[in-house]
Amino acid sequence: MKAADIYKVIVENSRDGIAVIDNATGFFIEANKTFCAITDKEKNFLLSGKTVSSILPDSVPEADYKAYQKVLAGNADLFLRYYHFQQSTGGALYLKVQVTRVAAKGEGCSVLLLEDITESSYSNKKWKESELHFRHLFESSPVGLWEEDFSAAATYLESLKLIGLPRAEAQTFLEQHPDVILQCMSLVKIVDVNQVVLEQYRVTDKAHFLKHASEIIFTEESVVAAKSFLAAICSNADADMFEVAGTAVTGEKIYLQLKWNVTPGTGEYKYKRVILASIDITESKKTQKALEQASARLETIVDTIDGIVWTAHPETLNLNFISKSVQDITGYSSDQFLGREMYKFNFDFYADQKQMDRFRRKIMKGIPGTLEYPIKTKSGEEKWLQVNVSFIKEGEAVQLILGIVIDITMLKKSKNELNQSMKVLSDQNKRLLNFSYIVSHNLRSHSSNILSLCELINHTKDAEEKEGLIRLLGEVAKLLHNTMEGLNEVAGIQSSVAIPKEALNLRDYIDNCYYVLSDRITLKKIRFINNVAPSVMVSYNRAYLESVLQNVIANAIKFSHPDRVPEISLDFYNTGKEKLLAITDNGIGIDLKKKGKRLFSLFKNFSVDEKSRGIGLYIVKNQVEAMGGNVTVESKPGEGSCFKIFFK
């Protein structure tokens, strides 16, 4: 291909519009397709004797036409103008029009070049608008803004082969080479700051600040901040945040929170424009320091409290504070509790975990409360603690759960000892009461028998009968003596904790009871049946056994049925699991539905006998229970009753 053909192809496919003009006539003699597209004219139309006036807007100044003619006439080498061009499709173009004379045979020709600069013109306009917008935001920002050029510092770091290192490695290098930090700080250029920055440093003149910025902002803390910033640059980070302390021109100490962002760019321009935001946190720092001091004082006070103070998050229930005294009381350090859910620990701490789980669920429902609970200390010692849980609120919202724990081990021990003492005292009082009732109630049978025998002796004339009565009186006196010995035994042990017991033959005591009550049994013609085997032995107190038998049998005699032959039977059962004596009668019976709950109460009389004082069954119940057993009754009105005495 010839060179002329190559040039023709290049011109025809150029992105710019190119046309050739005959200098003598001013007519278009050639035009490429881009030129036709820009001017929105067909090529045949342009080459049909048309001039520049056919494509340019009507608003072209006359002076521009004259300048154009000078080029065609050979009086000027270049014509350059910019015009807005309206296309028939409605689109608008912004064109760069350039005409250059070309030496040629004859009159020669000129080349007209149309360059569509619409897009670049629009971009330039938008860039200027964006810059104005940025400047407005920069100056009116409520936080301090710095515009800085870090490109020289970045280039210096690149020369040291630090760019691209992991941040930790870059940090270590800078710590070992503080001179590099200072060199980089000297290379950083502060381009601009807004009004807020001037206010933060108490400066009124921006020009003065920019000129002396390095002197104003340089502190030991700023070197530390610069180290962090430079390490971030080395690791190709685009943002970072840190705090720095400084001194205002008034001498006042100020604290700033700095955050920088790198504006988009590549290569040497990446750190050309760095925007740094500074927020004055001086007051919050003062508040934080005051809170830390108050917290330290509070912690000191809390640690002197004779107990444990803890707090927990209301949602997670995790402990976020616990006083040091927890180690003195439990043996476990505070670290073993912090961060864990309250009452859920990974060591054997609570003696009753289910109790703590119930209390925990109560707290989760927002219910404050107090609880006493046993724990196992680290050394294995058992202790009792009492916790009072409350809620710290702001309005209705719970901000914190507060627990105050005290060691009540000694109090619990004292309380148990007191309860034991009270129990002993109560038991002693019961025995004293039993003793008084035995004296006043149970001796009546003996005294009644003695009086009766004395009257018979005084009135009988028969010497043989009198001798028999005197012999019988001796037997009754002997029984009275045995009873008095038993009572003396009871009286002697009132200050003791345990009531003495001994192995007693049950049948012998039943027989003695029968003998004491024989006058009443004979008077009512009662059938008395003792089915207890002679070998049956029970471990009992003598006075108590005699008293229990006499009271139950005396009641059976007293409440016998008037319309049938009275009968009292005694049977002993030993099943291996329990031993009991059943005393059954066919008397008038008891309505247990009406009177069963009060049957063994003091001074409750269930008969029509006005002389009955209602203390017999009360004595029976107390004495049987004092021996570790119990007494029950089965009865139906009009049919009789069965009292069962259970032996331990």
Side-chain angles (χ1 to χ4, degrees):
M1 183 182 288
K2 295 180 180 181
D5 293 332
I6 294 173
Y7 291 141
K8 187 175 181 179
V9 171
I10 293 172
V11 169
E12 184 63 25
N13 292 282
S14 173
R15 293 179 57 187
D16 295 330
I18 302 173
V20 180
I21 301 170
D22 187 318
N23 291 337
T25 62
F27 295 153
F28 291 108
I29 58 175
E30 189 58 72
N32 69 355
K33 59 183 179 182
T34 306
F35 189 90
C36 295
I38 292 174
T39 60
D40 199 20
K41 304 294 183 182
E42 294 290 338
K43 185 173 183 177
N44 291 337
F45 172 79
L46 293 173
L47 301 183
S48 62
K50 297 296 186 289
T51 64
V52 172
S53 60
S54 63
I55 64 168
L56 293 177
D58 297 336
S59 59
V60 175
E62 184 65 27
D64 286 359
Y65 276 110
K66 289 180 179 180
Y68 168 70
Q69 291 298 333
K70 283 184 178 182
V71 174
L72 295 184
N75 297 322
D77 294 328
L78 178 67
F79 173 86
L80 179 62
R81 295 290 188 273
Y82 296 89
Y83 298 109
H84 284 285
F85 184 77
Q86 192 71 31
Q87 292 180 308
S88 60
T89 57
L93 300 176
Y94 190 62
L95 299 178
K96 176 182 177 183
V97 180
Q98 183 175 331
V99 180
T100 306
R101 183 179 174 84
V102 178
K105 293 181 180 180
E107 296 297 327
C109 61
S110 296
V111 176
L112 190 153
L113 184 66
L114 292 182
E115 183 181 351
D116 185 357
I117 60 172
T118 306
E119 186 176 344
S120 61
S121 176
Y122 177 79
S123 299
N124 186 54
K125 180 181 177 183
K126 286 297 180 183
W127 180 85
K128 288 182 178 179
E129 290 176 354
S130 298
E131 182 67 17
L132 288 173
H133 184 61
F134 167 78
R135 282 295 153 195
H136 173 71
L137 293 177
F138 186 85
E139 291 298 338
S140 61
S141 172
V143 300
L145 292 179
W146 309 58
E147 183 181 351
E148 302 184 15
D149 182 354
F150 268 80
S151 58
T155 301
Y156 176 62
L157 293 173
E158 179 70 38
S159 69
L160 297 176
K161 300 187 181 334
L162 297 177
I163 300 296
L165 284 180
R167 183 162 183 164
E169 289 185 28
Q171 188 96 7
T172 301
F173 177 87
L174 293 170
E175 286 173 356
Q176 296 172 352
H177 300 83
D179 55 310
V180 174
I181 300 174
L182 297 176
Q183 178 63 22
C184 287
M185 291 178 70
S186 69
L187 294 173
V188 174
K189 181 181 179 182
I190 299 176
V191 179
D192 198 6
V193 295
N194 69 356
Q195 186 61 33
V196 177
V197 173
L198 300 179
E199 293 171 359
Q200 289 171 348
Y201 281 91
R202 316 298 188 261
V203 178
T204 56
D205 186 354
K206 181 186 285 192
H208 174 79
F209 181 85
L210 293 175
K211 184 177 181 181
H212 302 283
S214 60
E215 302 168 18
I216 295 173
I217 68 174
F218 184 84
T219 61
E220 290 184 10
E221 290 87 349
S222 67
V223 174
V224 174
K227 178 178 63 179
S228 174
F229 190 3
L230 295 171
I233 291 176
C234 291
S235 60
N236 292 312
D238 292 331
D240 198 12
M241 181 183 290
F242 44 85
E243 292 182 3
V244 63
T247 306
V249 294
T250 57
E252 177 186 353
K253 193 80 169 178
I254 59 173
Y255 293 89
L256 301 175
Q257 184 185 74
L258 303 180
K259 181 177 182 180
W260 59 268
N261 287 276
V262 178
T263 56
T266 58
E268 60 180 310
Y269 298 104
K270 181 173 183 180
Y271 297 102
K272 188 75 176 176
R273 195 178 202 184
V274 176
I275 302 300
L276 185 144
S278 62
I279 301 173
D280 191 340
I281 57 172
T282 305
E283 290 304 317
S284 62
K285 277 287 186 181
K286 289 179 181 178
T287 303
Q288 180 183 351
K289 186 176 181 180
L291 287 174
E292 289 174 353
Q293 291 173 344
S295 177
R297 288 195 296 270
L298 180 61
E299 189 172 342
T300 301
I301 294 171
V302 166
D303 287 335
T304 59
I305 294 176
D306 188 17
I308 305 168
V309 178
W310 57 258
T311 60
H313 192 279
E315 294 180 2
T316 63
L317 301 184
N318 288 350
L319 295 181
N320 48 32
F321 172 79
I322 191 165
S323 55
K324 295 177 182 177
S325 53
V326 69
Q327 186 158 3
D328 296 332
I329 294 176
T330 69
Y332 294 99
S333 68
S334 56
D335 291 339
Q336 292 175 279
F337 294 92
L338 287 174
R340 293 181 172 85
E341 289 187 59
M342 61 183 187
Y343 305 128
K344 281 191 174 184
F345 306 119
N346 58 357
F347 46 88
D348 186 16
F349 189 63
Y350 297 113
D352 187 350
Q353 184 63 51
K354 290 183 178 179
Q355 178 193 27
M356 306 314 297
D357 291 341
R358 289 193 297 270
F359 188 62
R360 185 175 184 273
R361 288 194 292 270
K362 180 180 176 183
I363 294 171
M364 290 173 68
K365 293 178 181 178
I367 305 171
T370 301
L371 180 70
E372 293 182 2
Y373 56 93
I375 67 161
K376 291 180 182 178
T377 66
K378 192 173 184 179
S379 62
E381 178 188 0
E382 183 179 274
K383 284 190 177 183
W384 277 86
L385 305 180
Q386 182 189 71
V387 62
N388 181 273
V389 176
S390 57
F391 302 102
I392 298 176
K393 296 183 177 181
E394 185 174 319
E396 292 299 318
V398 176
Q399 301 296 313
L400 210 61
I401 302 174
L402 173 66
I404 299 177
V405 184
I406 57 173
D407 186 351
I408 58 169
T409 306
M410 295 304 297
L411 180 64
K412 202 77 175 176
K413 185 178 179 181
S414 300
K415 187 176 180 180
N416 289 339
E417 290 176 352
L418 179 61
N419 288 338
Q420 186 63 31
S421 299
M422 291 296 292
K423 184 178 182 302
V424 171
L425 183 60
S426 176
D427 292 343
Q428 290 175 343
N429 285 340
K430 285 181 181 179
R431 289 198 294 272
L432 286 171
L433 192 62
N434 282 332
F435 178 74
S436 66
Y437 287 150
I438 291 171
V439 171
S440 64
H441 186 263
N442 295 11
L443 292 184
R444 283 188 298 163
S445 297
H446 295 294
S447 61
S448 177
N449 286 340
I450 290 172
L451 287 173
S452 297
L453 288 171
C454 288
E455 287 180 5
L456 288 173
I457 291 171
N458 288 332
H459 289 89
T460 186
K461 302 265 188 207
D462 188 297
E464 187 177 344
E465 184 179 353
K466 182 177 287 190
E467 184 180 344
L469 289 172
I470 291 171
R471 195 166 47 250
L472 188 58
L473 180 62
E475 292 294 328
V476 172
K478 184 178 179 181
L479 290 174
L480 175 60
H481 176 73
N482 290 339
T483 299
M484 290 303 297
E485 278 190 344
L487 291 175
N488 186 56
E489 229 177 59
V490 173
I493 52 89
Q494 292 310 307
S495 58
S496 301
V497 174
I499 301 172
K501 299 178 184 180
E502 57 185 300
L504 303 175
N505 186 288
L506 183 57
R507 185 181 179 90
D508 288 348
Y509 272 80
I510 294 172
D511 289 340
N512 289 340
C513 182
Y514 172 82
Y515 194 74
V516 170
L517 300 172
S518 59
D519 58 334
R520 302 182 204 178
I521 293 171
T522 302
L523 181 64
K524 288 198 171 186
K525 299 179 181 179
I526 294 172
R527 291 181 59 200
F528 191 86
I529 305 168
N530 183 3
N531 294 321
V532 177
S535 60
V536 174
M537 304 294 288
V538 293
S539 178
Y540 232 72
N541 178 269
R542 288 186 293 161
Y544 279 13
L545 182 59
E546 183 181 275
S547 174
V548 168
L549 292 172
Q550 282 192 24
N551 275 297
V552 176
I553 294 172
N555 274 354
I557 296 170
K558 184 188 296 183
F559 301 120
S560 60
H561 202 288
D563 300 331
R564 54 175 170 259
V565 176
E567 184 175 293
I568 300 173
S569 63
L570 293 93
D571 297 272
F572 184 79
Y573 303 94
N574 187 350
T575 65
K577 291 184 178 181
E578 57 184 9
K579 295 188 291 185
L580 66 94
L581 172 68
I583 303 175
T584 309
D585 65 66
N586 62 349
I588 61 176
I590 304 168
D591 189 345
L592 294 178
K593 289 183 179 180
K594 292 182 178 180
K595 303 174 181 179
K597 292 182 179 180
R598 298 178 292 122
L599 185 64
F600 294 100
S601 300
L602 187 60
F603 303 128
K604 299 299 178 182
N605 185 7
F606 301 100
S607 72
V608 295
D609 186 355
E610 294 181 358
K611 293 181 180 179
S612 177
R613 293 184 292 171
I615 61 173
L617 291 182
Y618 175 78
I619 293 173
V620 169
K621 181 177 184 298
N622 276 273
Q623 291 175 334
V624 170
E625 290 180 352
M627 291 290 99
N630 66 301
V631 57
T632 63
V633 61
E634 299 170 1
S635 184
K636 292 183 179 179
E639 295 184 14
S641 303
C642 177
F643 283 84
K644 294 181 179 179
I645 313 298
F646 290 85
F647 297 89
K648 186 176 180 180

